[in-house]
């Protein structure tokens, strides 16, 4: 008899929680202007965190399902062509899966470093894809740089909590993240 494997759902729900929290923070930050630019408010982006746990700790099938659904949800919330975030998150996920055997998979320090590099790639890729639609693309790079710095700092702060949240969620469900088997109590 085949049993239901909910690892992808646990990771997806944690990603939705983080997306909601960051969206709420972005809503509050939109009322403030930073530096000397009056029209520039900070926008936080933590897409790199959505991929790390799935790529490092889940098997490829369940990790890809969680990442693809997270990407589709992000596409519905952001002003990008539909499928852009799903494609970019899937690309980062596949890249991390390719080198996963050489990586330490359990430590949170390595997860933070991977999340920072993944987020850097995602912000640069999204910026190059979307900067042409900006009315003043030359001035947009300053905002992108400020957003990148703020997002990377936020990842440094919340990545240990987020990775621990996903680990604890798997423990509460009595599921081993790598195999999907029940943990004996």
């Amino acid at each position: 008899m085949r049993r239901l494997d909910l690892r992808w759902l646990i990771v997806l729900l944690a990603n939705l929680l983080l997306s909601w929290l960051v969206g709420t923070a972005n809503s509050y930050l939109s009322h403030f202007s930073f530096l000397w630019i009056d029209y520039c408010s900070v926008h936080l982006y933590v897409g790199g965190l959505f991929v790390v746990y799935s790529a490092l700790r889940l098997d490829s099938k369940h990790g890809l399902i969680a990442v693809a659904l997270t990407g589709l949800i992000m596409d519905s919330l952001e002003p990008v062509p539909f499928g852009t975030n799903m494609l970019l998150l899937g690309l980062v996920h596949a890249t991390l899966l390719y080198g996963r055997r050489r990586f330490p998979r359990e430590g949170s320090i390595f997860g933070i470093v991977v999340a920072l590099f993944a987020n850097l790639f995602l912000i640069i890729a999204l910026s190059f894809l979307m900067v042409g639609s900006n009315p003043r693309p030359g001035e947009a790079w300053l905002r992108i740089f400020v957003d990148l710095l703020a997002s990377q700092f936020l990842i440094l702060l919340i990545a240990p909590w987020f990775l621990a949240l996903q680990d604890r969620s798997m423990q509460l469900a009595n599921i081993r993240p790598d195999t999907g088997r029940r943990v004996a109590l």
Side-chain angles (χ1 to χ4, degrees):
M1 184 168 92
R2 209 175 132 119
R3 65 178 178 80
L4 187 61
D5 194 354
L6 299 175
R7 290 179 288 167
W8 64 270
L9 184 61
I10 293 169
V11 172
L12 178 65
L13 291 174
N15 288 346
L16 286 176
L17 174 67
L18 181 62
S19 177
W20 176 72
L21 290 172
V22 171
T24 304
N26 281 331
S27 177
Y28 285 120
L29 288 174
S30 68
H31 301 293
F32 302 107
S33 61
F34 291 94
L35 299 173
W36 60 90
I37 304 170
D38 291 332
Y39 63 88
C40 179
S41 62
V42 172
H43 175 78
L44 301 171
Y45 181 81
V46 292
L49 273 177
F50 295 140
V51 179
V52 172
Y53 192 85
S54 300
L56 294 181
R57 301 214 177 122
L58 295 183
D59 65 314
S60 60
K61 175 184 158 188
H62 291 93
L64 187 61
I65 291 170
V67 166
L69 291 175
T70 301
L72 287 174
I73 291 169
M74 287 175 60
D75 283 332
S76 68
L77 298 173
E78 295 179 4
V80 296
F82 198 71
T84 304
N85 282 311
M86 184 186 75
L87 181 70
L88 289 174
L89 290 178
L91 179 66
V92 171
H93 184 263
T95 304
L96 290 174
L97 278 178
Y98 179 73
R100 177 166 79 169
R101 294 190 189 273
R102 293 178 228 128
F103 298 150
R105 296 165 60 174
E106 293 299 322
S108 65
I109 299 290
F110 187 74
I112 295 168
V113 171
V114 169
L116 288 170
F117 280 119
N119 202 56
L120 175 68
F121 168 76
L122 290 168
I123 288 177
I124 290 173
L126 281 171
S127 299
F128 276 110
L129 288 173
M130 302 306 295
V131 78
S133 63
N134 194 318
R136 295 181 254 172
E139 295 176 11
W141 290 107
L142 176 62
R143 178 187 172 135
I144 291 168
F145 182 70
V146 171
D147 291 349
L148 174 66
L149 288 178
S151 298
Q152 297 293 73
F153 182 70
L154 179 67
I155 286 178
L156 275 174
L157 290 178
I158 67 170
W161 165 78
F162 188 62
L163 293 173
L165 172 76
Q166 291 177 322
D167 275 335
R168 184 66 180 145
S169 299
M170 291 290 179
Q171 287 175 356
L172 288 175
N174 290 332
I175 298 175
R176 290 191 53 185
D178 52 349
T179 62
R181 295 184 184 184
R182 296 282 178 194
V183 177
L185 296 175

